[in-house]
């Protein structure tokens, strides 16, 4: 395939990485390539432009503006819990008094609802909290099991790589030894051939001289 890189290193088998100067040479190569590398295009061009305001509500927007302007946070308003009477000019206004009564009834209903929620919390809060904690513990156990499985798979892959590289290194060493032996034998054969050619040439030369003498 075009652009395919053939990795010919066997880190689990190769030797010499700890020798003086090897690490410095590798770092120098990385730094040199880093200096030469200049991106020619944005590798995120295929993505759509981000919309940072998608999940921004009006309340969040106002709060971000307040923080950016370094303004203090508004104090908790207790006005909704107040039960004011009609203003002085409307003390005889039935509608004004009705509004005040409706407000007081709403406050009473709100307080009654809060009391009901507290009672329900007292009755069901503890079991619900225990169930929630049990769910969290189960999720943690599941995540830890997944983590252990991943670590085990990583360890198995590393062991497999080490075994494969060790076997490949041993095979390469045997092939290298065989190659050296064959090269040596070829050299010996070539030298023997040269010696034989030399002997043949000498014999031909002697035979030629003998033929001249006999003639």
């Amino acid at each position: 395939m075009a652009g395919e890189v053939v990795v010919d290193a066997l880190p689990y088998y190769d030797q010499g990485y700890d020798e003086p100067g090897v690490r410095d040479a590798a770092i120098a190569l990385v730094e040199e390539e880093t200096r030469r590398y200049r991106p020619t295009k944005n590798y995120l061009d295929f993505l759509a432009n981000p919309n940072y305001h998608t999940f921004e509500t009006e309340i969040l927007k106002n709060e971000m503006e307040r923080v950016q302007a370094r303004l203090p946070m508004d104090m908790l308003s207790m006005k909704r819990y107040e039960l004011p009477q009609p203003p002085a000019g409307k003390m005889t206004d039935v509608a004004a008094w009705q509004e005040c009564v409706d407000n007081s009834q709403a406050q009473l209903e709100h307080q009654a609802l809060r009391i009901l929620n507290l009672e329900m919390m007292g009755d069901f809060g503890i079991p619900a909290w225990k169930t929630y904690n049990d769910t969290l513990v189960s999720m943690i156990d599941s995540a830890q099991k997944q983590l252990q499985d991943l670590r085990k798979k990583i360890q198995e892959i590393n062991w497999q790589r080490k075994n494969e590289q060790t076997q490949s290194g041993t095979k390469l060493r045997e092939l290298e030894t065989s190659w050296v032996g064959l090269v040596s034998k070829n050299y010996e054969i070539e030298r023997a051939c040269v010696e034989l050619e030399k002997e043949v040439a000498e014999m031909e030369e002697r035979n030629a001289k003998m033929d001249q003498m006999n003639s």
Side-chain angles (χ1 to χ4, degrees), residues 47-201:
L47 297 177
N49 293 329
N51 185 1
Y52 299 106
H53 305 288
T54 301
F55 303 100
E56 189 176 275
T57 63
E58 191 66 25
I59 295 177
L60 181 59
K61 180 180 178 181
N62 294 336
E63 184 64 15
M64 295 297 293
E65 292 176 353
R66 181 194 67 77
V67 173
Q68 187 174 7
R70 299 181 181 275
L71 298 176
M73 182 181 295
D74 294 336
M75 300 299 294
L76 182 63
S77 176
M78 303 298 294
K79 185 176 182 179
R80 58 178 298 183
Y81 301 107
E82 296 177 357
L83 296 174
Q85 61 182 4
K90 295 186 178 181
M91 295 298 293
T92 58
D93 189 349
V94 176
W97 279 106
Q98 185 63 46
E99 183 178 353
C100 292
V101 171
D102 294 341
N103 182 33
S104 63
Q105 289 179 344
Q107 294 293 339
L108 288 174
E109 186 65 25
H110 175 66
Q111 296 298 331
L113 183 60
R114 292 183 61 186
I115 292 173
L116 179 60
N117 287 334
L118 291 175
E119 292 176 350
M120 293 179 63
M121 180 65 69
D123 294 336
F124 306 106
I126 296 176
W129 184 253
K130 289 182 178 179
T131 303
Y132 172 73
N133 287 338
D134 293 339
T135 303
L136 288 181
V137 171
S138 177
M139 293 173 63
I140 292 174
D141 292 340
S142 177
Q144 289 179 345
K145 184 178 182 301
Q146 293 179 4
L147 178 60
Q148 291 176 358
D149 292 341
L150 288 176
R151 288 178 175 174
K152 182 179 179 181
K153 291 180 180 179
I154 292 173
Q155 186 67 23
E156 291 175 352
I157 291 175
N158 288 335
W159 277 112
Q160 181 181 358
R161 291 179 60 198
K162 183 176 181 179
N163 292 333
E164 291 178 353
Q165 292 186 19
T166 302
Q167 294 175 3
S168 298
T170 303
K171 184 64 176 179
L172 287 173
R173 182 62 57 86
E174 294 174 355
L175 292 174
E176 182 180 3
T177 303
S178 177
W179 176 80
V180 172
L182 293 174
V183 170
S184 300
K185 289 181 180 180
N186 287 335
Y187 174 74
E188 293 176 357
I189 293 172
E190 289 180 359
R191 186 175 62 179
C193 289
V194 171
E195 294 293 334
L196 290 174
E197 290 175 354
K198 183 178 179 181
E199 292 179 3
V200 170

